[in-house]
Amino acid sequence: MKLKGYILAAVAAATYGTNPAFAVPLYADGMNPNTVLFFRYLLGLPILASMLLLRGHSLKISRGELMPLGVLGILMGISSLTLFQSYNYMNSGIASTLLFVYPVMVAVLMTFFFHERFRATTALCLVIMTGGLVLLLRAPEGMEVSGTGVVLVMLSSLTYAIYLVMTNVSVQPSAIAGKP
C-alpha cells in the first residue's frame, strides 16, 4: 500500500509539472490566470467529486467543517493564482521549479509552530532538495529571473505550505485509518 502511495505521489507531482504547458499557450491566446484557473477547477471538481462518490465517500460537510474548508480553499486559490500569475513575469519552468521550495517551508512551519522534531534525515532531504533547486534554477542565457515573479512564486509556495500544514494538523488519526 505504501508503494502505491509513492507511485501516486510521483504521478501527481509529474502531472502538476505540466501546468505551464497548458497555461502559457492559453495566455498567448488571450486568456489570463483567473480564466485559466476557473476552467481548470471547473473541469476538475466534477472529476474529483465522481472519484469520491465512487469510493463511497459523502460530499456532505458539517457546519463545523465550513470554516476550515473555506480557509483551505482560499489558501489553495491564492497558491494557484500567484503561481499562474508568476508565469507572466518569468519563465514558467523556472517558476514551477521555484515552487518546490515549499517542503522547506513546511518543515520550518512544523518545527516552529508545532514543535515537530527536526530530524537529521529531514535536514539531509532538505539540503539535497535545495541543491537540486539551485542546479535547476540556472536561467537560460539572456533570460532574467523577475523579482516580481519570484515574489509571486514564494507567496504561492508559502500559501501551499500553510495549506499542507493545516491539512496535516487538522486530520484526525482515525480518519486516516479509515475509522469513523
Side-chain angles (χ1 to χ4, degrees):
M1 194 61 149
K2 208 173 195 180
L3 176 61
K4 181 180 176 183
Y6 287 132
I7 292 170
L8 290 174
V11 169
T15 56
Y16 192 81
T18 64
N19 279 332
F22 296 101
V24 173
L26 292 173
Y27 294 173
D29 285 342
M31 292 180 85
N32 62 41
N34 294 327
T35 308
V36 171
L37 287 170
F38 173 78
F39 284 109
R40 176 183 179 213
Y41 287 119
L42 183 69
L43 295 172
L45 284 173
I47 294 169
L48 180 59
S50 298
M51 289 171 59
L52 289 169
L53 290 171
L54 286 171
R55 291 182 178 171
H57 296 282
S58 171
L59 298 180
K60 185 178 177 182
I61 56 173
S62 69
R63 187 171 291 204
E65 293 170 323
L66 281 176
M67 180 67 126
L69 287 174
V71 170
L72 290 172
I74 289 168
L75 287 169
M76 184 54 74
I78 292 170
S79 179
S80 297
L81 189 57
T82 52
L83 176 64
F84 276 60
Q85 191 67 31
S86 75
Y87 298 161
N88 289 319
Y89 294 93
M90 63 192 303
N91 175 281
S92 60
I94 293 173
S96 295
T97 301
L98 262 179
L99 177 72
F100 285 92
V101 76
Y102 78 85
V104 174
M105 294 178 177
V106 169
V108 169
L109 290 169
M110 291 302 292
T111 300
F112 285 107
F113 293 106
F114 298 97
H115 309 293
E116 186 174 282
R117 204 171 115 211
F118 193 78
R119 295 181 168 84
T121 54
T122 303
L124 178 63
C125 289
L126 292 176
V127 166
I128 291 169
M129 189 244 6
T130 303
L133 276 175
V134 168
L135 290 173
L136 289 170
L137 279 177
R138 288 184 284 181
E141 204 165 308
M143 187 178 292
E144 293 183 26
V145 176
S146 158
T148 302
V150 170
V151 168
L152 287 166
V153 173
M154 289 301 113
L155 182 58
S156 178
S157 295
L158 179 61
T159 53
Y160 187 57
I162 294 169
Y163 169 87
L164 290 173
V165 168
M166 284 184 66
T167 303
N168 184 47
V169 299
S170 67
V171 173
Q172 301 296 324
S174 61
I176 294 172
K179 300 174 185 169

